PDB file of all heavy atoms in Angstrom:
ATOM      1  N   GLY A 139       0.787  -1.207   0.074  1.00 79.00           N
ATOM      2  CA  GLY A 139      -0.046   0.043   0.023  1.00 79.00           C
ATOM      3  C   GLY A 139       0.820   1.278  -0.010  1.00 79.00           C
ATOM      4  O   GLY A 139       2.058   1.219   0.357  1.00 79.00           O
ATOM      5  N   GLY A 140       0.194   2.346  -0.347  1.00 93.00           N
ATOM      6  CA  GLY A 140       0.914   3.669  -0.386  1.00 93.00           C
ATOM      7  C   GLY A 140       0.149   4.789   0.283  1.00 93.00           C
ATOM      8  O   GLY A 140      -1.155   4.592   0.573  1.00 93.00           O
ATOM      9  N   PRO A 141       0.870   5.832   0.570  1.00 96.00           N
ATOM     10  CA  PRO A 141       0.159   6.997   1.213  1.00 96.00           C
ATOM     11  C   PRO A 141      -0.481   7.965   0.144  1.00 96.00           C
ATOM     12  O   PRO A 141       0.237   8.410  -0.756  1.00 96.00           O
ATOM     13  CB  PRO A 141       1.287   7.699   1.958  1.00 96.00           C
ATOM     14  CG  PRO A 141       2.571   7.390   1.156  1.00 96.00           C
ATOM     15  CD  PRO A 141       2.274   6.112   0.434  1.00 96.00           C
ATOM     16  N   PHE A 142      -1.700   8.257   0.348  1.00 97.00           N
ATOM     17  CA  PHE A 142      -2.416   9.118  -0.618  1.00 97.00           C
ATOM     18  C   PHE A 142      -3.357   9.986   0.212  1.00 97.00           C
ATOM     19  O   PHE A 142      -3.862   9.705   1.224  1.00 97.00           O
ATOM     20  CB  PHE A 142      -3.391   8.278  -1.535  1.00 97.00           C
ATOM     21  CG  PHE A 142      -2.492   7.437  -2.427  1.00 97.00           C
ATOM     22  CD1 PHE A 142      -2.108   6.131  -2.117  1.00 97.00           C
ATOM     23  CD2 PHE A 142      -2.110   7.967  -3.722  1.00 97.00           C
ATOM     24  CE1 PHE A 142      -1.424   5.431  -3.022  1.00 97.00           C
ATOM     25  CE2 PHE A 142      -1.385   7.180  -4.643  1.00 97.00           C
ATOM     26  CZ  PHE A 142      -1.024   5.924  -4.317  1.00 97.00           C
ATOM     27  N   TRP A 143      -3.636  11.253  -0.449  1.00 97.00           N
ATOM     28  CA  TRP A 143      -4.757  12.060   0.051  1.00 97.00           C
ATOM     29  C   TRP A 143      -6.023  11.491  -0.724  1.00 97.00           C
ATOM     30  O   TRP A 143      -5.983  11.275  -1.965  1.00 97.00           O
ATOM     31  CB  TRP A 143      -4.589  13.512  -0.645  1.00 97.00           C
ATOM     32  CG  TRP A 143      -3.516  14.219   0.142  1.00 97.00           C
ATOM     33  CD1 TRP A 143      -2.260  14.505  -0.198  1.00 97.00           C
ATOM     34  CD2 TRP A 143      -3.690  14.847   1.468  1.00 97.00           C
ATOM     35  NE1 TRP A 143      -1.573  15.196   0.644  1.00 97.00           N
ATOM     36  CE2 TRP A 143      -2.391  15.450   1.781  1.00 97.00           C
ATOM     37  CE3 TRP A 143      -4.672  14.999   2.353  1.00 97.00           C
ATOM     38  CZ2 TRP A 143      -2.243  16.128   2.955  1.00 97.00           C
ATOM     39  CZ3 TRP A 143      -4.503  15.652   3.571  1.00 97.00           C
ATOM     40  CH2 TRP A 143      -3.243  16.318   3.800  1.00 97.00           C
ATOM     41  N   VAL A 144      -7.044  11.194   0.051  1.00 97.00           N
ATOM     42  CA  VAL A 144      -8.184  10.520  -0.409  1.00 97.00           C
ATOM     43  C   VAL A 144      -9.494  11.378  -0.164  1.00 97.00           C
ATOM     44  O   VAL A 144      -9.549  12.015   0.909  1.00 97.00           O
ATOM     45  CB  VAL A 144      -8.443   9.159   0.289  1.00 97.00           C
ATOM     46  CG1 VAL A 144      -9.804   8.534   0.027  1.00 97.00           C
ATOM     47  CG2 VAL A 144      -7.382   8.153  -0.240  1.00 97.00           C
ATOM     48  N   LYS A 145     -10.355  11.405  -1.174  1.00 95.00           N
ATOM     49  CA  LYS A 145     -11.628  12.188  -0.951  1.00 95.00           C
ATOM     50  C   LYS A 145     -12.808  11.213  -0.717  1.00 95.00           C
ATOM     51  O   LYS A 145     -12.947  10.207  -1.489  1.00 95.00           O
ATOM     52  CB  LYS A 145     -11.902  12.911  -2.293  1.00 95.00           C
ATOM     53  CG  LYS A 145     -12.977  14.006  -2.088  1.00 95.00           C
ATOM     54  CD  LYS A 145     -13.243  14.816  -3.433  1.00 95.00           C
ATOM     55  CE  LYS A 145     -12.267  15.935  -3.558  1.00 95.00           C
ATOM     56  NZ  LYS A 145     -12.587  16.833  -4.714  1.00 95.00           N
ATOM     57  N   ASP A 146     -13.576  11.439   0.416  1.00 91.00           N
ATOM     58  CA  ASP A 146     -14.614  10.560   0.625  1.00 91.00           C
ATOM     59  C   ASP A 146     -15.974  11.006  -0.022  1.00 91.00           C
ATOM     60  O   ASP A 146     -15.920  12.036  -0.735  1.00 91.00           O
ATOM     61  CB  ASP A 146     -14.926  10.305   2.211  1.00 91.00           C
ATOM     62  CG  ASP A 146     -15.355  11.620   2.878  1.00 91.00           C
ATOM     63  OD1 ASP A 146     -15.735  12.592   2.225  1.00 91.00           O
ATOM     64  OD2 ASP A 146     -15.284  11.617   4.177  1.00 91.00           O
ATOM     65  N   GLU A 147     -17.058  10.288   0.242  1.00 86.00           N
ATOM     66  CA  GLU A 147     -18.348  10.646  -0.420  1.00 86.00           C
ATOM     67  C   GLU A 147     -18.848  12.057  -0.097  1.00 86.00           C
ATOM     68  O   GLU A 147     -19.481  12.721  -0.843  1.00 86.00           O
ATOM     69  CB  GLU A 147     -19.382   9.733   0.025  1.00 86.00           C
ATOM     70  CG  GLU A 147     -19.204   8.264  -0.654  1.00 86.00           C
ATOM     71  CD  GLU A 147     -20.021   7.225   0.012  1.00 86.00           C
ATOM     72  OE1 GLU A 147     -20.623   7.479   1.067  1.00 86.00           O
ATOM     73  OE2 GLU A 147     -20.181   6.210  -0.741  1.00 86.00           O
ATOM     74  N   GLY A 148     -18.404  12.609   1.153  1.00 85.00           N
ATOM     75  CA  GLY A 148     -18.840  13.921   1.493  1.00 85.00           C
ATOM     76  C   GLY A 148     -17.724  15.002   1.047  1.00 85.00           C
ATOM     77  O   GLY A 148     -17.716  16.149   1.514  1.00 85.00           O
ATOM     78  N   ALA A 149     -16.865  14.555   0.094  1.00 88.00           N
ATOM     79  CA  ALA A 149     -15.798  15.432  -0.390  1.00 88.00           C
ATOM     80  C   ALA A 149     -14.748  15.814   0.643  1.00 88.00           C
ATOM     81  O   ALA A 149     -14.010  16.821   0.437  1.00 88.00           O
ATOM     82  CB  ALA A 149     -16.449  16.673  -1.067  1.00 88.00           C
ATOM     83  N   ASN A 150     -14.718  15.089   1.753  1.00 91.00           N
ATOM     84  CA  ASN A 150     -13.627  15.468   2.797  1.00 91.00           C
ATOM     85  C   ASN A 150     -12.355  14.752   2.487  1.00 91.00           C
ATOM     86  O   ASN A 150     -12.354  13.658   1.974  1.00 91.00           O
ATOM     87  CB  ASN A 150     -14.087  14.855   4.115  1.00 91.00           C
ATOM     88  CG  ASN A 150     -15.500  15.484   4.548  1.00 91.00           C
ATOM     89  OD1 ASN A 150     -15.658  16.646   4.748  1.00 91.00           O
ATOM     90  ND2 ASN A 150     -16.426  14.642   4.778  1.00 91.00           N
ATOM     91  N   LEU A 151     -11.273  15.506   2.556  1.00 95.00           N
ATOM     92  CA  LEU A 151      -9.983  14.993   2.267  1.00 95.00           C
ATOM     93  C   LEU A 151      -9.239  14.424   3.560  1.00 95.00           C
ATOM     94  O   LEU A 151      -9.343  15.059   4.634  1.00 95.00           O
ATOM     95  CB  LEU A 151      -9.066  16.126   1.773  1.00 95.00           C
ATOM     96  CG  LEU A 151      -9.026  16.418   0.191  1.00 95.00           C
ATOM     97  CD1 LEU A 151      -8.131  17.453  -0.101  1.00 95.00           C
ATOM     98  CD2 LEU A 151      -8.804  15.129  -0.578  1.00 95.00           C
ATOM     99  N   SER A 152      -8.540  13.348   3.403  1.00 96.00           N
ATOM    100  CA  SER A 152      -7.876  12.866   4.493  1.00 96.00           C
ATOM    101  C   SER A 152      -6.740  12.003   4.051  1.00 96.00           C
ATOM    102  O   SER A 152      -6.587  11.558   2.861  1.00 96.00           O
ATOM    103  CB  SER A 152      -8.626  11.906   5.437  1.00 96.00           C
ATOM    104  OG  SER A 152      -9.144  10.838   4.793  1.00 96.00           O
ATOM    105  N   LEU A 153      -5.624  11.798   4.824  1.00 97.00           N
ATOM    106  CA  LEU A 153      -4.505  10.926   4.500  1.00 97.00           C
ATOM    107  C   LEU A 153      -4.845   9.480   4.769  1.00 97.00           C
ATOM    108  O   LEU A 153      -5.401   9.109   5.884  1.00 97.00           O
ATOM    109  CB  LEU A 153      -3.273  11.212   5.345  1.00 97.00           C
ATOM    110  CG  LEU A 153      -2.560  12.615   4.867  1.00 97.00           C
ATOM    111  CD1 LEU A 153      -1.541  12.963   5.875  1.00 97.00           C
ATOM    112  CD2 LEU A 153      -1.928  12.448   3.513  1.00 97.00           C
ATOM    113  N   GLN A 154      -4.680   8.593   3.790  1.00 97.00           N
ATOM    114  CA  GLN A 154      -4.899   7.158   4.010  1.00 97.00           C
ATOM    115  C   GLN A 154      -3.833   6.281   3.369  1.00 97.00           C
ATOM    116  O   GLN A 154      -3.174   6.684   2.490  1.00 97.00           O
ATOM    117  CB  GLN A 154      -6.254   6.791   3.231  1.00 97.00           C
ATOM    118  CG  GLN A 154      -7.511   7.579   3.696  1.00 97.00           C
ATOM    119  CD  GLN A 154      -7.896   7.176   5.107  1.00 97.00           C
ATOM    120  OE1 GLN A 154      -7.581   6.176   5.702  1.00 97.00           O
ATOM    121  NE2 GLN A 154      -8.649   8.112   5.752  1.00 97.00           N
ATOM    122  N   ILE A 155      -3.710   5.098   3.972  1.00 96.00           N
ATOM    123  CA  ILE A 155      -2.807   4.116   3.377  1.00 96.00           C
ATOM    124  C   ILE A 155      -3.702   3.241   2.455  1.00 96.00           C
ATOM    125  O   ILE A 155      -4.662   2.561   2.889  1.00 96.00           O
ATOM    126  CB  ILE A 155      -2.128   3.196   4.392  1.00 96.00           C
ATOM    127  CG1 ILE A 155      -1.222   4.043   5.334  1.00 96.00           C
ATOM    128  CG2 ILE A 155      -1.399   2.089   3.763  1.00 96.00           C
ATOM    129  CD1 ILE A 155      -0.701   3.332   6.545  1.00 96.00           C
ATOM    130  N   VAL A 156      -3.468   3.184   1.172  1.00 94.00           N
ATOM    131  CA  VAL A 156      -4.393   2.597   0.220  1.00 94.00           C
ATOM    132  C   VAL A 156      -3.632   1.410  -0.485  1.00 94.00           C
ATOM    133  O   VAL A 156      -2.463   1.572  -0.882  1.00 94.00           O
ATOM    134  CB  VAL A 156      -4.861   3.555  -0.877  1.00 94.00           C
ATOM    135  CG1 VAL A 156      -5.813   2.927  -1.777  1.00 94.00           C
ATOM    136  CG2 VAL A 156      -5.484   4.799  -0.189  1.00 94.00           C
ATOM    137  N   GLU A 157      -4.303   0.294  -0.549  1.00 89.00           N
ATOM    138  CA  GLU A 157      -3.799  -0.879  -1.305  1.00 89.00           C
ATOM    139  C   GLU A 157      -4.089  -0.709  -2.753  1.00 89.00           C
ATOM    140  O   GLU A 157      -5.223  -0.243  -3.103  1.00 89.00           O
ATOM    141  CB  GLU A 157      -4.338  -2.175  -0.748  1.00 89.00           C
ATOM    142  CG  GLU A 157      -4.097  -2.367   0.696  1.00 89.00           C
ATOM    143  CD  GLU A 157      -2.650  -2.587   1.149  1.00 89.00           C
ATOM    144  OE1 GLU A 157      -1.824  -3.228   0.313  1.00 89.00           O
ATOM    145  OE2 GLU A 157      -2.183  -1.989   2.189  1.00 89.00           O
ATOM    146  N   SER A 158      -3.205  -1.344  -3.640  1.00 86.00           N
ATOM    147  CA  SER A 158      -3.593  -1.188  -5.064  1.00 86.00           C
ATOM    148  C   SER A 158      -4.962  -1.831  -5.502  1.00 86.00           C
ATOM    149  O   SER A 158      -5.598  -1.420  -6.388  1.00 86.00           O
ATOM    150  CB  SER A 158      -2.327  -1.731  -5.935  1.00 86.00           C
ATOM    151  OG  SER A 158      -2.227  -3.052  -5.651  1.00 86.00           O
ATOM    152  N   ALA A 159      -5.325  -2.861  -4.744  1.00 83.00           N
ATOM    153  CA  ALA A 159      -6.581  -3.500  -4.950  1.00 83.00           C
ATOM    154  C   ALA A 159      -7.805  -2.592  -4.871  1.00 83.00           C
ATOM    155  O   ALA A 159      -8.902  -2.887  -5.276  1.00 83.00           O
ATOM    156  CB  ALA A 159      -6.813  -4.717  -4.196  1.00 83.00           C
ATOM    157  N   GLN A 160      -7.626  -1.509  -4.056  1.00 90.00           N
ATOM    158  CA  GLN A 160      -8.649  -0.549  -3.764  1.00 90.00           C
ATOM    159  C   GLN A 160      -8.887   0.542  -4.814  1.00 90.00           C
ATOM    160  O   GLN A 160      -9.664   1.308  -4.705  1.00 90.00           O
ATOM    161  CB  GLN A 160      -8.520   0.186  -2.453  1.00 90.00           C
ATOM    162  CG  GLN A 160      -8.478  -0.864  -1.227  1.00 90.00           C
ATOM    163  CD  GLN A 160      -8.169  -0.090   0.057  1.00 90.00           C
ATOM    164  OE1 GLN A 160      -6.940   0.170   0.404  1.00 90.00           O
ATOM    165  NE2 GLN A 160      -9.132   0.302   0.753  1.00 90.00           N
ATOM    166  N   ILE A 161      -7.885   0.495  -5.823  1.00 91.00           N
ATOM    167  CA  ILE A 161      -7.869   1.550  -6.733  1.00 91.00           C
ATOM    168  C   ILE A 161      -8.396   1.045  -8.131  1.00 91.00           C
ATOM    169  O   ILE A 161      -8.164  -0.020  -8.558  1.00 91.00           O
ATOM    170  CB  ILE A 161      -6.475   2.111  -6.922  1.00 91.00           C
ATOM    171  CG1 ILE A 161      -5.919   2.660  -5.597  1.00 91.00           C
ATOM    172  CG2 ILE A 161      -6.280   3.087  -8.066  1.00 91.00           C
ATOM    173  CD1 ILE A 161      -4.339   2.831  -5.528  1.00 91.00           C
ATOM    174  N   ASN A 162      -9.194   1.926  -8.708  1.00 92.00           N
ATOM    175  CA  ASN A 162      -9.783   1.675 -10.102  1.00 92.00           C
ATOM    176  C   ASN A 162      -8.764   1.829 -11.189  1.00 92.00           C
ATOM    177  O   ASN A 162      -8.600   2.969 -11.652  1.00 92.00           O
ATOM    178  CB  ASN A 162     -11.011   2.575 -10.299  1.00 92.00           C
ATOM    179  CG  ASN A 162     -11.757   2.229 -11.701  1.00 92.00           C
ATOM    180  OD1 ASN A 162     -11.288   1.286 -12.363  1.00 92.00           O
ATOM    181  ND2 ASN A 162     -12.713   2.948 -11.959  1.00 92.00           N
ATOM    182  N   LYS A 163      -8.116   0.775 -11.522  1.00 90.00           N
ATOM    183  CA  LYS A 163      -7.108   0.823 -12.592  1.00 90.00           C
ATOM    184  C   LYS A 163      -7.649   1.257 -13.960  1.00 90.00           C
ATOM    185  O   LYS A 163      -6.856   1.479 -14.819  1.00 90.00           O
ATOM    186  CB  LYS A 163      -6.251  -0.508 -12.766  1.00 90.00           C
ATOM    187  CG  LYS A 163      -5.854  -1.086 -11.295  1.00 90.00           C
ATOM    188  CD  LYS A 163      -4.711  -0.471 -10.728  1.00 90.00           C
ATOM    189  CE  LYS A 163      -4.020  -1.298  -9.656  1.00 90.00           C
ATOM    190  NZ  LYS A 163      -5.036  -2.106  -8.867  1.00 90.00           N
ATOM    191  N   LYS A 164      -8.906   1.065 -14.112  1.00 94.00           N
ATOM    192  CA  LYS A 164      -9.471   1.383 -15.436  1.00 94.00           C
ATOM    193  C   LYS A 164      -9.548   2.813 -15.628  1.00 94.00           C
ATOM    194  O   LYS A 164      -9.903   3.337 -16.703  1.00 94.00           O
ATOM    195  CB  LYS A 164     -10.815   0.701 -15.625  1.00 94.00           C
ATOM    196  CG  LYS A 164     -10.690  -0.839 -15.756  1.00 94.00           C
ATOM    197  CD  LYS A 164     -11.985  -1.548 -15.877  1.00 94.00           C
ATOM    198  CE  LYS A 164     -11.791  -3.088 -15.990  1.00 94.00           C
ATOM    199  NZ  LYS A 164     -13.074  -3.678 -15.800  1.00 94.00           N
ATOM    200  N   SER A 165      -9.551   3.613 -14.505  1.00 96.00           N
ATOM    201  CA  SER A 165      -9.618   5.121 -14.611  1.00 96.00           C
ATOM    202  C   SER A 165      -8.222   5.605 -14.890  1.00 96.00           C
ATOM    203  O   SER A 165      -7.343   5.422 -14.087  1.00 96.00           O
ATOM    204  CB  SER A 165     -10.221   5.682 -13.329  1.00 96.00           C
ATOM    205  OG  SER A 165      -9.855   7.018 -13.226  1.00 96.00           O
ATOM    206  N   LYS A 166      -8.097   6.412 -15.982  1.00 96.00           N
ATOM    207  CA  LYS A 166      -6.841   6.934 -16.323  1.00 96.00           C
ATOM    208  C   LYS A 166      -6.371   7.913 -15.166  1.00 96.00           C
ATOM    209  O   LYS A 166      -5.165   7.843 -14.822  1.00 96.00           O
ATOM    210  CB  LYS A 166      -6.864   7.750 -17.625  1.00 96.00           C
ATOM    211  CG  LYS A 166      -6.521   6.832 -18.822  1.00 96.00           C
ATOM    212  CD  LYS A 166      -6.418   7.755 -20.062  1.00 96.00           C
ATOM    213  CE  LYS A 166      -6.047   6.958 -21.324  1.00 96.00           C
ATOM    214  NZ  LYS A 166      -6.029   7.594 -22.546  1.00 96.00           N
ATOM    215  N   ILE A 167      -7.279   8.714 -14.715  1.00 96.00           N
ATOM    216  CA  ILE A 167      -6.943   9.642 -13.684  1.00 96.00           C
ATOM    217  C   ILE A 167      -6.375   9.078 -12.441  1.00 96.00           C
ATOM    218  O   ILE A 167      -5.363   9.379 -11.959  1.00 96.00           O
ATOM    219  CB  ILE A 167      -8.194  10.586 -13.380  1.00 96.00           C
ATOM    220  CG1 ILE A 167      -8.607  11.368 -14.587  1.00 96.00           C
ATOM    221  CG2 ILE A 167      -7.972  11.461 -12.218  1.00 96.00           C
ATOM    222  CD1 ILE A 167      -9.943  12.124 -14.377  1.00 96.00           C
ATOM    223  N   GLN A 168      -7.070   7.989 -11.994  1.00 95.00           N
ATOM    224  CA  GLN A 168      -6.721   7.308 -10.777  1.00 95.00           C
ATOM    225  C   GLN A 168      -5.294   6.525 -10.913  1.00 95.00           C
ATOM    226  O   GLN A 168      -4.488   6.512 -10.091  1.00 95.00           O
ATOM    227  CB  GLN A 168      -7.771   6.174 -10.323  1.00 95.00           C
ATOM    228  CG  GLN A 168      -9.121   6.850  -9.906  1.00 95.00           C
ATOM    229  CD  GLN A 168      -8.960   7.647  -8.630  1.00 95.00           C
ATOM    230  OE1 GLN A 168      -8.835   6.985  -7.550  1.00 95.00           O
ATOM    231  NE2 GLN A 168      -9.037   8.960  -8.681  1.00 95.00           N
ATOM    232  N   LYS A 169      -5.222   6.004 -12.249  1.00 92.00           N
ATOM    233  CA  LYS A 169      -3.980   5.266 -12.529  1.00 92.00           C
ATOM    234  C   LYS A 169      -2.743   6.231 -12.603  1.00 92.00           C
ATOM    235  O   LYS A 169      -1.694   5.855 -12.095  1.00 92.00           O
ATOM    236  CB  LYS A 169      -4.101   4.545 -13.833  1.00 92.00           C
ATOM    237  CG  LYS A 169      -3.295   3.319 -14.033  1.00 92.00           C
ATOM    238  CD  LYS A 169      -3.616   2.573 -15.259  1.00 92.00           C
ATOM    239  CE  LYS A 169      -2.670   1.519 -15.604  1.00 92.00           C
ATOM    240  NZ  LYS A 169      -2.879   0.823 -16.842  1.00 92.00           N
ATOM    241  N   ASN A 170      -2.908   7.404 -13.070  1.00 93.00           N
ATOM    242  CA  ASN A 170      -1.878   8.366 -13.140  1.00 93.00           C
ATOM    243  C   ASN A 170      -1.545   8.795 -11.685  1.00 93.00           C
ATOM    244  O   ASN A 170      -0.255   9.011 -11.452  1.00 93.00           O
ATOM    245  CB  ASN A 170      -2.274   9.556 -13.930  1.00 93.00           C
ATOM    246  CG  ASN A 170      -2.206   9.318 -15.439  1.00 93.00           C
ATOM    247  OD1 ASN A 170      -1.501   8.374 -15.840  1.00 93.00           O
ATOM    248  ND2 ASN A 170      -2.956  10.017 -16.233  1.00 93.00           N
ATOM    249  N   ILE A 171      -2.447   8.944 -10.866  1.00 94.00           N
ATOM    250  CA  ILE A 171      -2.195   9.403  -9.435  1.00 94.00           C
ATOM    251  C   ILE A 171      -1.339   8.223  -8.775  1.00 94.00           C
ATOM    252  O   ILE A 171      -0.316   8.498  -8.087  1.00 94.00           O
ATOM    253  CB  ILE A 171      -3.471   9.637  -8.624  1.00 94.00           C
ATOM    254  CG1 ILE A 171      -4.189  10.848  -9.161  1.00 94.00           C
ATOM    255  CG2 ILE A 171      -3.111   9.902  -7.135  1.00 94.00           C
ATOM    256  CD1 ILE A 171      -5.496  11.096  -8.618  1.00 94.00           C
ATOM    257  N   LEU A 172      -1.747   7.052  -9.053  1.00 92.00           N
ATOM    258  CA  LEU A 172      -1.070   5.872  -8.482  1.00 92.00           C
ATOM    259  C   LEU A 172       0.463   5.836  -8.940  1.00 92.00           C
ATOM    260  O   LEU A 172       1.278   5.658  -8.207  1.00 92.00           O
ATOM    261  CB  LEU A 172      -1.655   4.556  -8.865  1.00 92.00           C
ATOM    262  CG  LEU A 172      -1.196   3.239  -8.430  1.00 92.00           C
ATOM    263  CD1 LEU A 172      -0.999   3.141  -6.977  1.00 92.00           C
ATOM    264  CD2 LEU A 172      -1.913   2.100  -8.959  1.00 92.00           C
ATOM    265  N   LYS A 173       0.699   6.218 -10.216  1.00 90.00           N
ATOM    266  CA  LYS A 173       1.988   6.246 -10.780  1.00 90.00           C
ATOM    267  C   LYS A 173       2.935   7.216 -10.180  1.00 90.00           C
ATOM    268  O   LYS A 173       4.148   7.161 -10.156  1.00 90.00           O
ATOM    269  CB  LYS A 173       1.885   6.503 -12.295  1.00 90.00           C
ATOM    270  CG  LYS A 173       1.671   5.208 -13.204  1.00 90.00           C
ATOM    271  CD  LYS A 173       1.687   5.691 -14.637  1.00 90.00           C
ATOM    272  CE  LYS A 173       1.216   4.379 -15.472  1.00 90.00           C
ATOM    273  NZ  LYS A 173       0.996   4.818 -16.878  1.00 90.00           N
ATOM    274  N   LYS A 174       2.296   8.362  -9.665  1.00 91.00           N
ATOM    275  CA  LYS A 174       3.022   9.421  -9.139  1.00 91.00           C
ATOM    276  C   LYS A 174       3.360   9.276  -7.625  1.00 91.00           C
ATOM    277  O   LYS A 174       3.999  10.042  -6.998  1.00 91.00           O
ATOM    278  CB  LYS A 174       2.231  10.787  -9.190  1.00 91.00           C
ATOM    279  CG  LYS A 174       2.201  11.261 -10.607  1.00 91.00           C
ATOM    280  CD  LYS A 174       1.267  12.500 -10.767  1.00 91.00           C
ATOM    281  CE  LYS A 174       1.168  13.012 -12.298  1.00 91.00           C
ATOM    282  NZ  LYS A 174       0.238  14.061 -12.386  1.00 91.00           N
ATOM    283  N   ALA A 175       3.032   8.049  -7.071  1.00 93.00           N
ATOM    284  CA  ALA A 175       3.323   7.792  -5.726  1.00 93.00           C
ATOM    285  C   ALA A 175       4.826   7.656  -5.527  1.00 93.00           C
ATOM    286  O   ALA A 175       5.524   7.000  -6.274  1.00 93.00           O
ATOM    287  CB  ALA A 175       2.743   6.505  -5.287  1.00 93.00           C
ATOM    288  N   THR A 176       5.428   8.461  -4.629  1.00 95.00           N
ATOM    289  CA  THR A 176       6.838   8.462  -4.307  1.00 95.00           C
ATOM    290  C   THR A 176       7.166   7.492  -3.132  1.00 95.00           C
ATOM    291  O   THR A 176       8.392   7.205  -2.946  1.00 95.00           O
ATOM    292  CB  THR A 176       7.284   9.792  -3.987  1.00 95.00           C
ATOM    293  OG1 THR A 176       6.496  10.348  -2.856  1.00 95.00           O
ATOM    294  CG2 THR A 176       7.150  10.844  -5.082  1.00 95.00           C
ATOM    295  N   HIS A 177       6.269   7.105  -2.313  1.00 96.00           N
ATOM    296  CA  HIS A 177       6.531   6.319  -1.118  1.00 96.00           C
ATOM    297  C   HIS A 177       5.520   5.199  -1.014  1.00 96.00           C
ATOM    298  O   HIS A 177       4.492   5.197  -1.670  1.00 96.00           O
ATOM    299  CB  HIS A 177       6.316   7.195   0.187  1.00 96.00           C
ATOM    300  CG  HIS A 177       7.461   8.312   0.260  1.00 96.00           C
ATOM    301  ND1 HIS A 177       7.599   9.296  -0.595  1.00 96.00           N
ATOM    302  CD2 HIS A 177       8.560   8.285   1.137  1.00 96.00           C
ATOM    303  CE1 HIS A 177       8.683  10.079  -0.200  1.00 96.00           C
ATOM    304  NE2 HIS A 177       9.265   9.435   0.780  1.00 96.00           N
ATOM    305  N   PHE A 178       5.875   4.229  -0.128  1.00 92.00           N
ATOM    306  CA  PHE A 178       4.885   3.101   0.086  1.00 92.00           C
ATOM    307  C   PHE A 178       5.021   2.791   1.617  1.00 92.00           C
ATOM    308  O   PHE A 178       5.868   3.212   2.230  1.00 92.00           O
ATOM    309  CB  PHE A 178       5.113   1.966  -0.793  1.00 92.00           C
ATOM    310  CG  PHE A 178       6.242   1.114  -0.578  1.00 92.00           C
ATOM    311  CD1 PHE A 178       6.163   0.007   0.205  1.00 92.00           C
ATOM    312  CD2 PHE A 178       7.582   1.510  -1.140  1.00 92.00           C
ATOM    313  CE1 PHE A 178       7.340  -0.746   0.531  1.00 92.00           C
ATOM    314  CE2 PHE A 178       8.616   0.766  -0.872  1.00 92.00           C
ATOM    315  CZ  PHE A 178       8.540  -0.458  -0.054  1.00 92.00           C
ATOM    316  N   ASN A 179       4.012   1.967   1.966  1.00 92.00           N
ATOM    317  CA  ASN A 179       3.777   1.615   3.471  1.00 92.00           C
ATOM    318  C   ASN A 179       4.465   0.334   3.737  1.00 92.00           C
ATOM    319  O   ASN A 179       4.172  -0.716   3.270  1.00 92.00           O
ATOM    320  CB  ASN A 179       2.271   1.426   3.657  1.00 92.00           C
ATOM    321  CG  ASN A 179       1.975   0.756   4.883  1.00 92.00           C
ATOM    322  OD1 ASN A 179       2.535   1.069   5.977  1.00 92.00           O
ATOM    323  ND2 ASN A 179       1.074  -0.223   4.833  1.00 92.00           N
ATOM    324  N   PRO A 180       5.530   0.480   4.648  1.00 90.00           N
ATOM    325  CA  PRO A 180       6.193  -0.748   5.122  1.00 90.00           C
ATOM    326  C   PRO A 180       5.622  -1.427   6.323  1.00 90.00           C
ATOM    327  O   PRO A 180       6.226  -2.338   6.932  1.00 90.00           O
ATOM    328  CB  PRO A 180       7.614  -0.255   5.462  1.00 90.00           C
ATOM    329  CG  PRO A 180       7.269   1.168   5.991  1.00 90.00           C
ATOM    330  CD  PRO A 180       6.086   1.651   5.249  1.00 90.00           C
ATOM    331  N   VAL A 181       4.440  -0.953   6.743  1.00 93.00           N
ATOM    332  CA  VAL A 181       3.789  -1.372   7.962  1.00 93.00           C
ATOM    333  C   VAL A 181       4.754  -1.038   9.220  1.00 93.00           C
ATOM    334  O   VAL A 181       5.253  -1.986   9.771  1.00 93.00           O
ATOM    335  CB  VAL A 181       3.318  -2.806   8.048  1.00 93.00           C
ATOM    336  CG1 VAL A 181       2.536  -3.106   9.266  1.00 93.00           C
ATOM    337  CG2 VAL A 181       2.485  -3.179   6.738  1.00 93.00           C
TER     338      VAL A 181
END
């Protein structure tokens, strides 16, 4: 997983650790954000 700024249904932003399985790879926008990740979560 990696560290991302995430927007919830109420448009609130927060920091989250996100696994790649939680990301919609079919969306170009989401895929591009994933590619720009500079760090990942070592637990």
Side-chain angles (χ1 to χ4, degrees):
F142 292 91
W143 288 101
V144 167
K145 192 180 274 188
D146 69 12
E147 289 168 346
N150 301 300
L151 274 182
S152 63
L153 286 171
Q154 300 293 341
I155 296 170
V156 182
E157 301 298 321
S158 62
Q160 296 176 279
I161 299 164
N162 182 5
K163 315 279 193 331
K164 289 176 184 171
S165 159
K166 267 189 179 173
I167 294 169
Q168 295 291 290
K169 208 173 170 183
N170 283 337
I171 295 170
L172 180 59
K173 278 182 186 169
K174 287 176 183 169
T176 56
H177 291 69
F178 72 96
N179 163 47
V181 187

